[in-house]
Amino acid sequence: MALSNNVIGCINFVAMLLSIPVIGAGIWLAMETDNSCVKILQWPVIILGVLILVVALAGFIGGFWRIPTLLIFYLIAMLILIVLLACLVVFIYMVTIRGSGHMEPSRAYLEYHLDDYSGWLRRRVQSSYKWDRIRSCLSSTTMCAQLNQSYRMAQDFFNAPISPLQSGCCKPPTQCGYTFVNPTYWISPINNVADMDCLQWNNDQTQLCYSCDSCKAGLLANLKKEWRRADIVLLITLVGLIWVYLIGCCAFRNAKTEEIFRKYKQGYADT
């Protein structure tokens, strides 16, 4: 029984280690500019990672110190957390399955359209009271100013691999036909009714295209890319936790079997 309990303690130590990538993924999302402005996914991921750490610690203590109550708590709570993590992995995949950039002639960067993305994601940015806060957060960053420092000539900018967020928020849509002065200053629209975003563009460095649907779409494109990366980490962790949990269940069952057998032998010897 001692051997089985030690095994349970060891595998729960592994579960504690598996909580680190989950917490790390949440912290990484929180540090990204777009996620720090939207604040949707990072806290659920961090909280779930901390809960996995706490439950695994309970199983670790219960295994080495042979506390059945903690082991039973571990088995029930970890199963619930594995189900929650699986639901989160599937949810992230489903809400990011749609949406991609569109190529424009003579441009290395892509253009982004809000209607391409899932309805759930669009609802996070479409309402005015939500977007006003997000817009204020985005406009306080240096992402657009960095373009002015990096690209002086039009052709250099047109060939630049800028991010979806910069493409959507820092310049007017290509189809509007604005003339390049610098990455955040454009003049003489050729077709300012080609897209409603053409009317939203403003050379004021605090305005730019932050009110455009293209900015919202660029934000969602950035979120999709980062959430997909986090989802891969969560999926790998989920597989690891499932294996650890199954091994823990087997070790716990063996420990209970050994305990019953030991009590049986003790009772037989007493007779």
Side-chain angles (χ1 to χ4, degrees), residues 114-142:
L114 188 58
D115 291 340
D116 292 342
Y117 295 88
S118 70
W120 187 89
L121 279 178
R122 292 201 306 270
R123 287 191 291 273
R124 307 284 76 76
V125 299
Q126 279 185 316
S127 60
S128 58
Y129 74 93
K130 290 181 180 178
W131 184 250
D132 286 345
R133 178 183 59 79
I134 297 171
R135 171 186 169 180
S136 176
C137 178
L138 292 176
S139 63
S140 67
T141 68
T142 61

Side-chain angles (χ1 to χ4, degrees), residues 175-186:
Q175 62 181 342
C176 298
Y178 279 79
T179 301
F180 177 94
V181 176
N182 66 45
T184 61
Y185 194 93
W186 301 69

Side-chain angles (χ1 to χ4, degrees), residues 11 74-75 82 240-252:
I11 63 175
Y74 158 78
L75 291 173
I82 287 174
L241 283 175
I242 290 174
W243 277 105
V244 165
Y245 183 79
L246 292 176
I247 295 172
C249 288
C250 292
F252 182 76

Side-chain angles (χ1 to χ4, degrees), residues 10-24 49 52-53 56-57 78 237 241 244:
C10 289
I11 63 175
N12 279 297
F13 179 75
V14 175
M16 291 167 59
L17 296 179
L18 287 173
S19 70
I20 295 175
V22 180
I23 298 173
I52 292 172
L53 176 61
L57 180 61
M78 186 58 75
T237 304
L241 283 175
V244 165

